[in-house]
Amino acid sequence: MSIPVLTFFNNKGGVGKTSLVYHLSSMFAELGVRVLAVDLDPQANLTAAFLDEDRLAKLWDDEQSVSTIFDSVKPLLDVGDFAPVDYQTINHSLALVPGDLGLSRFEDQLSATWTEVMGEKNKPRPFRILTSFWRSAQEAAMRFQANLIVIDVGPNLGAINRAALLGSNYVVVPLSADLFSLQGLRNLGPSLRDWRKGWNTRRDSWAEPIFGLPKGDMNPVGYIAMRHGVRLTRPVKAYTRWLDQIPQEFRTSVLGQENLENEQLPGIDNDPYCLSMLKNYNSLMPLAQEVRKPIFLLRPADGAIGSHANAVQKAYADFKMLAQEIARQIGLSLPETHQ
């Protein structure tokens, strides 16, 4: 039985996606869930959030080990299969499959493979390549005894992200209050549906696959709206204008619902698809980056005193509530003390 995969995805950058993955992976671990975080963004920003430069340099310079996700799938550029990856243990409940700037070299292979898979010959190798991220993550998660795999991807609709999403059971969409996030939804939703439809058709036509294949659910769980601080040069009205459009746009573009013009949809504050409206906690970020901790685990010794200490407590409550809501939506059991 495969381990559930939760991916955070928006093809519009700058919405706080990687920070969300970092903090929610850490919060799930805090709540007793064993989590494997996988960095599938060739920029490797999630990896840089978890690991300091010395540790990163050692990983990337070690040619003898399988230290990153690219090291794991690189044999598929030749004639092999994925190699089990040496995940990095962050703490007793959290491990990381590091990213790699070299991952972009796998993009062309994945793009060509999609065309082959969409043919009707059901050759094993194209399926092997296209599912390599999922199979590598599943193998590592089983070794770590993880309950959940959380994936970070880059802000695009390219072949790497398509392969990542094929192996995803659930998708959460981070958004900011601007026109570009709305446009991102309009691109993201149809892409997810096209990828799901194509994958389901080809997977179902292979009556007896010789290795495990992901279901390609890509089930949209909901969205997280990032409430960035209101600047004096930009009135509140400019934010609410875009926030007010998100509930309908999410339903239309991502869920594929039609004829909603005459329906009375809930506002974003009451939208069941809005998992949370998070502030960005900018004042805590420099402290957290300095000590390489999630903002909600900062302590007075880290400089979180006075108003910062109150903000840390609020951040802990916010991320705990969000993690509990996502767990509820995807049917993930939390230890009783954390439900």
Side-chain angles (χ1 to χ4, degrees):
M1 186 168 179
S2 62
I3 296 161
V5 179
L6 172 66
T7 298
F8 289 74
F9 182 44
N10 190 334
N11 67 296
K12 192 270 181 188
V15 295
K17 174 180 53 59
T18 298
S19 180
L20 272 173
V21 176
Y22 174 73
H23 282 86
L24 278 168
S25 297
S26 301
M27 178 53 75
F28 276 124
E30 184 80 1
L31 297 179
V33 178
R34 290 184 67 82
V35 179
L36 180 72
V38 182
D39 190 352
L40 288 179
D41 183 350
Q43 295 299 314
N45 290 322
L46 181 66
T47 301
F50 276 116
L51 307 177
D52 62 36
E53 289 187 0
D54 290 340
R55 194 169 172 184
L56 267 178
K58 186 176 180 180
L59 285 178
W60 287 344
D61 291 343
D62 187 353
E63 297 182 359
Q64 303 304 313
S65 65
V66 183
S67 302
T68 71
I69 188 62
F70 180 57
D71 290 335
S72 178
V73 301
K74 188 160 53 175
L76 284 153
L77 292 173
D78 192 7
V79 293
D81 198 357
F82 80 89
V85 66
D86 301 324
Y87 58 74
Q88 300 296 300
T89 301
I90 307 302
N91 59 48
H92 68 281
S93 293
L94 178 59
L96 169 73
V97 175
D100 192 322
L101 275 67
L103 187 60
S104 57
R105 289 168 52 192
F106 203 49
E107 186 98 35
D108 288 344
Q109 180 77 63
L110 289 169
S111 182
T113 298
W114 177 254
T115 302
E116 289 186 71
V117 166
M118 288 301 105
E120 298 181 356
K121 295 183 179 180
N122 290 337
K123 294 180 179 179
R125 182 157 181 78
F127 280 91
R128 202 181 294 278
I129 293 170
L130 201 59
T131 62
S132 58
F133 293 149
W134 178 77
R135 291 184 297 116
S136 177
Q138 290 289 326
E139 191 277 336
M142 289 177 186
R143 275 188 285 125
F144 185 63
Q145 297 181 320
N147 310 112
L148 179 67
I149 298 170
V150 178
I151 293 181
D152 186 33
V153 294
N156 60 70
L157 296 172
I160 289 176
N161 286 1
R162 178 171 55 202
L165 269 294
L166 291 181
S168 301
N169 302 100
Y170 307 101
V171 180
V172 170
V173 184
L175 298 168
S176 56
D178 55 38
L179 171 63
F180 302 100
S181 279
L182 287 176
Q183 187 61 43
L185 288 178
R186 293 163 189 157
N187 294 330
L188 181 151
S191 296
L192 288 181
R193 291 196 295 278
D194 288 346
W195 296 344
R196 186 189 301 116
K197 180 180 179 181
W199 175 248
N200 286 343
T201 299
R202 300 311 307 133
R203 186 199 63 206
D204 293 345
S205 72
W206 195 5
E208 298 181 1
I210 60 176
F211 49 84
L213 299 176
K215 293 182 178 179
D217 300 318
M218 297 181 244
N219 180 40
V221 177
Y223 59 88
I224 299 170
M226 307 300 291
R227 293 187 297 183
H228 297 295
V230 177
R231 302 187 299 272
L232 293 177
T233 55
R234 189 180 181 198
V236 173
K237 189 183 299 183
Y239 289 83
T240 58
R241 173 187 178 187
W242 305 119
L243 285 175
D244 290 344
Q245 296 182 52
I246 289 176
Q248 178 169 332
E249 196 62 57
F250 186 83
R251 286 165 172 77
T252 301
S253 296
V254 179
L255 301 181
Q257 298 178 5
E258 299 178 353
N259 303 318
L260 297 177
E261 292 79 5
N262 298 322
E263 289 193 25
Q264 187 66 38
L265 298 177
I268 193 168
D269 291 325
N270 300 307
D271 187 1
Y273 292 109
C274 181
L275 302 171
S276 180
M277 293 184 67
L278 286 177
K279 61 183 295 186
N280 56 15
Y281 296 104
N282 270 345
S283 63
L284 297 177
M285 282 301 180
L287 298 177
Q289 291 169 351
E290 180 70 23
V291 297
R292 210 167 291 278
K293 284 184 179 179
I295 56 176
F296 52 74
L297 292 182
L298 291 170
R299 299 291 181 260
D302 303 320
I305 57 177
S307 60
H308 280 159
N310 294 331
V312 167
Q313 293 179 359
K314 180 65 166 60
Y316 190 97
D318 287 345
F319 278 100
K320 180 179 180 180
M321 186 178 301
L322 175 55
Q324 289 173 326
E325 176 61 18
I326 292 175
R328 187 183 69 82
Q329 293 279 355
I330 68 176
L332 177 68
S333 295
L334 299 177
E336 289 185 8
T337 54
H338 297 295
Q339 291 180 3

